[in-house]
Amino acid sequence: MKYAQSNQPTKIENLQRFRCKHCAQVLERRKGITVKSQLTCLVCGNETKAEDIPLEEIAKLCKTAESTLSEQVTWTQGIKAVKSAQDLFDKHLLAPNLELYSTQISIWRAMWLIIGNKKIVKTF
C-alpha cells in the first residue's frame, strides 16, 4: 500500500512479479516468506534477474508520454510514446504499475482536452 501512495517511481523492491526475458513467462518473486531477485524460468530454464529490468527507462518513456499527451496535447506523438512505453513494459513487467496507470490517465486527459465534453449522437 505504501508503494501505491508514495508517488515515487517503481523500484525493484516493489516488484512482486515480472516476466522471463527469454520466453515472457510470469515469474513470482515471493516464495513463501523469502523474496528472490534471481529466478529460473520453469518453461525455458533460463535465469532472469530483477536488476536487469530497465525500470528507469520505462519511467522515462512513461513521463515523456504523459508530458506529450497532457502538457503539449499532441495526440499522434503522445500515442506513439505510450506505445513504446507499453511495449517495453509488457516485455518485462506485469500490471499493476504506477507508471502504466499514469500513462493511461494521460490518454483520457488528452482525449478530454482535445475533444471536450461533446455528446456523441447517432446519425441514423
Side-chain angles (χ1 to χ4, degrees):
M1 192 65 168
K2 284 183 180 180
Y3 163 64
Q5 296 174 344
S6 68
N7 203 18
Q8 298 291 323
T10 304
K11 298 176 187 169
I12 291 175
E13 57 264 15
N14 301 126
L15 300 176
Q16 298 297 317
R17 303 176 300 160
F18 54 89
R19 295 188 184 273
C20 173
K21 65 181 177 181
H22 301 285
C23 68
Q25 181 68 27
V26 176
L27 304 174
E28 295 284 338
R29 285 188 75 190
R30 188 173 299 236
K31 304 288 184 194
I33 299 174
T34 61
V35 177
K36 304 203 180 224
S37 62
Q38 182 173 349
L39 298 170
T40 303
C41 180
L42 298 176
V43 175
C44 67
N46 293 312
E47 291 187 349
T48 302
K49 294 182 181 180
E51 293 82 22
D52 292 342
I53 298 172
L55 292 175
E56 294 83 20
E57 187 177 352
I58 292 170
K60 181 182 168 194
L61 287 171
C62 289
K63 283 291 181 190
T64 303
E66 288 175 43
S67 68
T68 305
L69 284 170
S70 298
E71 297 165 11
Q72 300 169 9
V73 194
T74 52
W75 182 256
T76 307
Q77 293 174 351
I79 292 299
K80 287 179 185 177
V82 167
K83 178 156 177 30
S84 65
Q86 181 77 42
D87 290 343
L88 187 60
F89 178 86
D90 288 341
K91 184 177 179 182
H92 296 283
L93 298 174
L94 297 145
N97 184 280
L98 290 178
E99 286 83 8
L100 179 66
Y101 177 73
S102 297
T103 55
Q104 299 297 322
I105 294 296
S106 296
I107 291 172
W108 285 104
R109 186 179 300 135
M111 287 173 60
W112 188 78
L113 288 171
I114 293 169
I115 298 170
N117 259 353
K118 295 182 179 177
K119 185 175 182 181
I120 299 174
V121 178
K122 292 182 182 179
T123 57
F124 55 93

